[in-house]
Amino acid sequence: KCRTGPLDIVFVIDSSRSVRPFEFETMRRFMTDIIGSLDVGPNATRVGVIQYSSQVQNIFSLKTFFTRADMERAINSIVPLAQGTMTGLAIQYAMNVAFSTQEGARPPHKGIPRIAIVVTDGRPQDRVTEVATQARNAGIEIYAVGIQRADMSSLRAMASPPLEEHVFLVESFELIQQFAKQFQDKLCGVDMCVEREHGCQHSCVSTPGSFYCECNPGYRLNVDGKTCSPIDACADGRHGCQHHCVSLRGSYSCRCRPGYYLSHNKKSCIMIDYCSFGNHSCQHECVSIPNGHYCRCRSGFTLQPDSKSCRATDLCNGVDHGCEFKCVSTDGSYHCVCPEGQQLQADGKTCNKCGAGHVDLVMVIDGSKSVRPQNFELVKQFVNRIVDLLEVSPQGTRVGLVQYSSRVRTEFPLNKYHSADEIKKAVMDVEYMEKGTMTGLALKHMVEHSFSELEGARPRSHNIPRIGLVFTDGRSQDDISEWARRAKESGIVMFAVGVGKAVEEELRAIASEPVEQHFSYSADFTTMTHLVENFSLNICPEEGKGETEIRSPCECEALVQFQTNTVAILQSLTEKNILWARSLAQMTARLEDLEKQIANKK
């Protein structure tokens, strides 16, 4: 076994989508082979493992396990992330988190080497040079191990000098296990605790070229640097017990208050979940407390005197009301309401569409890999729910659709379809891209192309509002600020819709003022329905009128104008009737004269 003395080693493993399952298994064996050659333990070598793709996941930290068996079990249970290759992000995480004393790294003054072993099969999708330099300056020794398609220049940018000792390119995954045997020699050296008479009472810890003594838990090192004296671990406040600390000879133990039990770390306390016993009989929800439990009803229900059953007080939550927009409960009943600017239809449930407004609407939807195929179908349904709000026609509302991931694709421009049914069918036929998240590139495409007259946007002189709706589920991999600003400066009213891991800061940067009315967020794809309601509330009251002024016949000015016009028409008709009456009288008189003349001649 390698008995150099203690090391703090963190494996940084590439689990991007390019690493196939059997290749990832080879990485597992690579890690377990190296760990199998190390002397692991709290006072010996500590090991941590993180994996990365488009994000970083901590598998276990330097303080989690101190036996090879536990580490191997954790390594064998890793589920690959299968996304992008953000190597710089992983090195940043290792420097700031994995090698922190909070995560188990020994303090710098103890001189214990900190070693990061980065294993990757591809080219990083982010910058590694600067962050790797920061990590090396922070005292982390970086070994860069590339496999097959790895980029040698990126490996050299990561690794510590001398590069010939820290950069390795393995031709295939099959050879990485053989390489592990050679790599073990790099981590081994002389164990000063074995080579010299150290005189430590409890334990000796080797460092490069030297050693120091440590005491067992519950003891402190005396001024001679070798012998140890028992301490009251509870008195010095470093025991970490959440509730009570009980001193023992040379050590201590933690105890919990009644209603709690000690967790696996033997320090923190977990409240007993009385609800999990299955005997609570609560109709809706059971809530555990330290000395027992109580029943609680869902929103819209009241707990009954038996303290277990619930009765609906909010009928909107207790029945399938069918309201299209919003249900309002009243005493013993309920009714449906519509957003401002819309009217309830005869069925008492649906609302009239946002039909009076004329807009040019371009929807920009996220087709990145993190969305996943089943959620992308929900996004298309979300788009069609918005189309249902609008009166689509060449003279009314026009709709365009753009999808983006690592690139941008116009699914159909503003002048492609002229009815809601055509648009909805085209939306359902859209194919999922499944790559990165270049939101900034999508905004640029929308500003430069989607709202051009060539693609169907009406001239600005027509005063047709231009509305952009951007849908995203995660952080953009490029800058969005410039093109979000240009979009708004060009007169486009921007709406931002986020789901899941979408970043609020980015949504706010995209949205027009007032921001609160132009961005929405949902934690889950299956609960996006309320976002459609928010969108209809914000777009319908401020409908664009275009060149044609549309006036409600119920408005006072329109009513007065109608009355004035009607009176004028009636007066005109009256005057004409008088003239006709006079003409008729004159004709009758002439007929009578003619009749008299004819009678006299006879």
Side-chain angles (χ1 to χ4, degrees):
K1 301 296 182 182
C2 180
R3 304 186 62 84
T4 65
L7 302 170
D8 286 343
I9 299 178
V10 173
F11 290 93
V12 182
I13 301 301
D14 181 353
S15 67
S16 59
R17 69 174 66 91
S18 61
V19 179
R20 291 168 288 186
F22 75 90
E23 295 172 338
F24 194 80
E25 292 303 315
T26 306
M27 283 193 183
R28 295 188 206 268
R29 293 196 297 274
F30 169 71
M31 289 187 282
T32 56
D33 284 350
I34 292 179
I35 291 172
S37 70
L38 301 173
D39 180 23
V40 298
N43 295 323
T45 293
R46 300 182 181 182
V47 179
V49 176
I50 61 177
Q51 69 166 334
Y52 72 94
S53 58
S54 297
Q55 57 184 315
V56 181
Q57 181 185 38
N58 181 46
I59 304 303
F60 59 85
S61 61
L62 292 167
K63 66 180 180 180
T64 306
F65 301 122
F66 296 113
T67 67
R68 284 185 290 274
D70 289 339
M71 294 177 185
E72 289 179 8
R73 276 193 294 270
I75 289 171
N76 289 331
S77 66
I78 298 174
V79 178
L81 298 172
Q83 298 175 359
T85 310
M86 305 296 283
T87 312
L89 181 67
I91 296 175
Q92 183 83 42
Y93 181 91
M95 176 177 63
N96 294 342
V97 180
F99 281 110
S100 66
T101 54
Q102 292 84 354
E103 291 296 306
R106 266 71 65 94
H109 72 268
K110 291 193 174 182
I112 295 175
R114 296 181 173 183
I115 298 174
I117 303 174
V118 182
V119 185
T120 179
D121 82 322
R123 181 185 300 273
Q125 293 177 337
D126 58 356
R127 298 180 179 179
V128 297
T129 303
E130 182 178 349
V131 68
T133 301
Q134 293 174 356
R136 295 193 298 268
N137 292 340
I140 300 173
E141 185 177 2
I142 301 178
Y143 287 87
V145 182
I147 305 169
Q148 287 185 337
R149 300 170 292 275
D151 177 50
M152 178 58 78
S153 62
S154 298
L155 298 177
R156 295 172 66 87
M158 297 180 217
S160 297
L163 297 180
E164 59 272 12
E165 295 183 9
H166 292 82
V167 176
F168 303 92
L169 185 61
V170 183
E171 294 180 359
S172 68
F173 278 90
E174 289 76 11
L175 297 175
I176 192 171
Q177 252 186 305
Q178 300 177 20
F179 164 71
K181 309 301 181 186
Q182 304 171 18
F183 195 77
Q184 292 163 2
D185 297 338
K186 300 282 181 189
L187 304 178
C188 294
V190 177
D191 188 344
M192 299 300 293
C193 290
V194 175
E195 298 295 325
R196 297 180 58 178
E197 181 64 35
H198 54 77
C200 297
Q201 181 180 354
H202 284 179
S203 60
C204 173
V205 179
S206 289
T207 60
S210 185
F211 69 91
Y212 63 90
C213 298
E214 277 194 351
C215 297
N216 295 335
Y219 292 79
R220 63 171 175 269
L221 194 66
N222 293 327
V223 293
D224 61 6
K226 296 182 180 294
T227 59
C228 302
S229 300
I231 60 174
D232 182 356
C234 295
D236 64 12
R238 295 183 299 175
H239 51 78
C241 296
Q242 183 177 353
H243 287 179
H244 303 300
C245 177
V246 179
S247 292
L248 303 173
R249 181 176 177 83
S251 184
Y252 65 92
S253 66
C254 298
R255 303 283 174 82
C256 295
R257 295 193 296 266
Y260 293 81
Y261 64 93
L262 201 62
S263 69
H264 69 278
N265 64 14
K266 304 301 182 184
K267 293 181 180 292
S268 58
C269 297
I270 301 173
M271 188 175 69
I272 298 173
D273 185 3
Y274 290 97
C275 293
S276 65
F277 296 163
N279 60 351
H280 52 75
S281 301
C282 297
Q283 182 181 354
H284 283 182
E285 300 173 2
C286 175
V287 181
S288 289
I289 55 177
N291 59 351
H293 73 279
Y294 67 91
C295 296
R296 182 172 61 191
C297 296
R298 294 191 295 270
S299 177
F301 291 81
T302 303
L303 191 66
Q304 298 304 290
D306 62 4
S307 298
K308 295 181 182 294
S309 58
C310 302
R311 184 178 66 186
T313 53
D314 183 357
L315 288 179
C316 289
N317 285 333
V319 299
D320 184 12
H321 53 76
C323 295
E324 179 182 353
F325 175 69
K326 185 178 181 181
C327 175
V328 177
S329 291
T330 56
D331 188 17
S333 184
Y334 70 91
H335 64 274
C336 301
V337 297
C338 293
E340 183 180 355
Q342 298 188 37
Q343 294 180 343
L344 195 65
Q345 299 299 288
D347 60 7
K349 298 181 182 295
T350 59
C351 303
N352 66 339
K353 296 183 179 180
C354 196
H358 301 161
V359 299
D360 286 343
L361 171 64
V362 175
M363 288 181 273
V364 183
I365 59 174
D366 187 346
S368 62
K369 186 177 67 64
S370 60
V371 173
R372 302 190 184 279
Q374 64 273 25
N375 290 333
F376 190 72
E377 293 303 312
L378 295 177
V379 172
K380 293 196 289 186
Q381 294 176 22
F382 169 82
V383 170
N384 281 345
R385 288 288 302 277
I386 293 175
V387 174
D388 284 335
L389 294 172
L390 309 169
E391 288 289 352
V392 178
S393 69
Q395 293 74 35
T397 292
R398 298 181 182 181
V399 178
L401 183 66
V402 173
Q403 183 186 177
Y404 71 96
S405 58
S406 298
R407 58 190 179 90
V408 184
R409 181 173 72 204
T410 297
E411 301 296 351
F412 53 83
L414 288 165
N415 56 3
K416 177 72 172 180
Y417 300 113
H418 305 304
S419 71
D421 289 340
E422 289 179 308
I423 291 174
K424 291 169 68 175
K425 182 181 182 302
V427 169
M428 297 312 295
D429 290 340
V430 169
E431 294 184 358
Y432 178 34
M433 282 179 150
E434 192 179 2
K435 287 188 178 179
T437 311
M438 305 294 283
T439 314
L441 186 64
L443 291 171
K444 181 177 185 293
H445 180 91
M446 181 195 70
V447 173
E448 293 184 340
H449 301 286
S450 301
F451 282 106
S452 66
E453 293 184 31
L454 182 64
E455 293 201 3
R458 284 162 285 193
R460 294 188 181 278
S461 60
H462 288 192
N463 295 323
I464 303 294
R466 296 181 174 183
I467 296 178
L469 173 63
V470 179
F471 177 94
T472 181
D473 87 316
R475 182 182 294 276
S476 176
Q477 293 174 342
D478 61 353
D479 180 61
I480 67 166
S481 57
E482 178 183 357
W483 287 101
R485 174 180 55 80
R486 288 197 188 186
K488 289 175 279 192
E489 288 177 352
S490 68
I492 303 172
V493 179
M494 296 297 298
F495 288 82
V497 176
V499 175
K501 296 181 180 179
V503 181
E504 181 176 345
E505 179 183 354
E506 292 187 355
L507 297 175
R508 289 180 172 272
I510 294 171
S512 294
E513 295 288 345
V515 172
E516 300 301 332
Q517 295 181 15
H518 291 82
F519 95 94
S520 302
Y521 173 80
S522 177
D524 188 77
F525 283 88
T526 59
T527 59
M528 291 191 299
T529 305
H530 72 280
L531 302 185
V532 179
E533 297 168 0
N534 291 347
F535 185 73
S536 65
L537 275 172
N538 289 316
I539 192 175
C540 286
E542 299 179 0
E543 296 169 334
K545 301 300 188 295
E547 290 184 310
T548 304
E549 182 180 11
I550 301 173
R551 303 184 64 182
S552 169
C554 297
E555 292 179 0
C556 290
E557 293 180 4
L559 190 59
V560 170
Q561 185 64 46
F562 173 76
Q563 292 172 340
T564 303
N565 293 341
T566 302
V567 169
I569 292 170
L570 290 174
Q571 288 177 345
S572 175
L573 290 173
T574 301
E575 290 174 357
K576 290 180 180 180
N577 287 337
I578 293 171
L579 291 174
W580 278 105
R582 289 176 179 172
S583 298
L584 182 60
Q586 292 174 355
M587 291 177 65
T588 302
R590 290 185 62 186
L591 287 172
E592 289 177 351
D593 289 340
L594 288 172
E595 289 175 353
K596 289 178 181 179
Q597 292 176 14
I598 292 170
N600 292 333
K601 288 181 178 180
K602 290 180 179 179

